[in-house]
């Protein structure tokens, strides 16, 4: 009986540890985010440090193939047009491995960006080194960063709004509300929402 109790306790601990490990991956709200250098669709390397006058960033992990990402492309363009001049440009990153998601090659990214008229950088996470640092799990998955004392602080993580597929049904615009608050020198009232979309395609996780 004692042995059974010990085994059950170990199983509970292992289960809790597993869930804790999953939840601890990547950034949380309040964490300092590190910069990155990734290739843009114009073949130039882009870092957040290149944006000297930026007050922060709307970093979104997105892709060509996911229907949720496609459904949000116009919203990303609108966000960039609205907030870029105010100091919060959109920085889009494709985290998918093109060997797993055939339509997400760097060349295909160039084609998609031209078709849609992207107004923002569309970066390729070659080697899939950036998205795990952030803890992104879906496309799209948004991280709002705010500059504080030369540091990039994560202020919001999650979805663009409350209607992942149909913009006409949007009732709450999470990203806009968060950025508007930051521009007023306030903290967002809602800092963490569920990112709804396709899983990031990584052959290491198959």
């Amino acid at each position: 009986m004692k042995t059974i109790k010990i085994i059950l306790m170990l199983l509970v601990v292992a289960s809790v540890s597993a869930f804790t490990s999953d939840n601890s991956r990547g950034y949380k709200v309040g964490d300092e985010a590190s910069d990155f250098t990734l290739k843009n669709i114009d073949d130039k390397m882009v870092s957040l440090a290149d944006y000297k006058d930026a007050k922060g960033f709307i970093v979104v992990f997105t892709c060509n193939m996911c229907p949720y990402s496609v459904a949000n492309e116009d919203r990303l363009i609108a966000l960039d047009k609205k907030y870029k001049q105010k100091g919060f440009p959109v920085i889009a990153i494709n985290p998918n491995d093109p060997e797993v998601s055939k339509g997400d090659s760097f060349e295909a990214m160039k084609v998609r960006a031209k078709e849609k008229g992207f107004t923002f950088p569309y970066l390729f996470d070659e080697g899939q080194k950036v998205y795990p640092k952030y803890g992104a799990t879906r496309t799209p998955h948004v991280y709002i960063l705010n500059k504080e004392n030369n540091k990039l602080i994560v202020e919001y993580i999650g979805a663009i709004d409350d209607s992942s597929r149909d913009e006409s049904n949007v009732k709450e615009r999470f990203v806009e509300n968060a950025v508007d608050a930051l521009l007023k020198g306030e903290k967002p009232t809602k800092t963490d929402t569920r990112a709804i979309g396709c899983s990031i395609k990584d052959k290491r996780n198959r």
Side-chain angles (χ1 to χ4, degrees):
M1 189 69 177
K2 189 175 180 180
T3 303
I4 293 173
K5 285 183 178 180
I6 292 172
I7 292 171
L8 287 173
M9 285 178 65
L10 289 172
L11 287 172
V12 170
V13 170
S15 177
V16 171
S17 298
F19 282 113
T20 302
S21 174
D22 287 342
N23 292 337
S24 66
R25 291 174 184 167
Y27 296 135
K28 299 291 183 287
V29 172
D31 287 351
E32 179 183 355
S34 59
D35 202 350
F36 49 74
T37 301
L38 296 174
K39 186 185 287 187
N40 190 19
I41 47 172
D42 61 2
D43 293 312
K44 296 179 181 178
M45 304 304 290
V46 172
S47 298
L48 299 181
D50 297 333
Y51 294 78
K52 304 297 183 184
D53 297 327
K55 298 175 183 176
F57 301 93
I58 302 169
V59 176
V60 56
F61 293 89
T62 186
C63 68
N64 290 353
M65 301 304 293
C66 174
Y68 292 92
S69 291
V70 172
N72 278 274
E73 287 174 335
D74 289 336
R75 280 175 263 189
L76 288 178
I77 293 169
L79 283 170
D80 188 56
K81 288 181 177 178
K82 181 174 182 178
Y83 291 109
K84 180 163 52 182
Q85 300 303 320
K86 297 179 181 181
F88 278 84
V90 167
I91 307 292
I93 302 172
N94 186 343
N96 283 344
D97 183 338
E99 291 185 13
V100 181
S101 181
K102 300 300 182 183
D104 279 314
S105 69
F106 186 60
E107 292 305 315
M109 287 170 59
K110 292 181 178 181
V111 173
R112 187 60 184 168
K114 185 176 181 179
E115 287 176 347
K116 287 298 297 183
F118 284 174
T119 58
F120 44 80
Y122 190 22
L123 312 179
F124 179 47
D125 187 7
E126 188 170 7
Q128 298 183 297
K129 297 175 182 177
V130 174
Y131 95 79
K133 287 185 179 180
Y134 274 73
T137 59
R138 301 284 168 184
T139 54
H141 205 154
V142 180
Y143 292 74
I144 296 177
L145 311 181
N146 189 42
K147 281 187 181 179
E148 293 181 12
N149 300 318
N150 296 318
K151 295 179 180 180
L152 292 171
I153 305 301
V154 180
E155 298 286 0
Y156 171 84
I157 302 173
I160 292 171
D161 51 45
D162 63 353
S163 182
S164 58
R165 294 293 290 269
D166 188 353
E167 188 176 7
S168 66
N169 291 329
V170 172
K171 294 180 176 62
E172 189 173 2
R173 299 184 181 276
F174 305 135
V175 169
E176 289 190 36
N177 292 343
V179 176
D180 286 342
L182 292 169
L183 287 170
K184 294 176 185 176
E186 302 170 358
K187 292 291 185 180
T189 55
K190 185 167 288 187
T191 60
D192 203 328
T193 63
R194 182 186 174 197
I196 298 175
C198 304
S199 61
I200 291 175
K201 304 303 184 286
D202 187 334
K203 59 177 170 284
R204 296 171 296 188
N205 298 333
R206 288 196 300 177

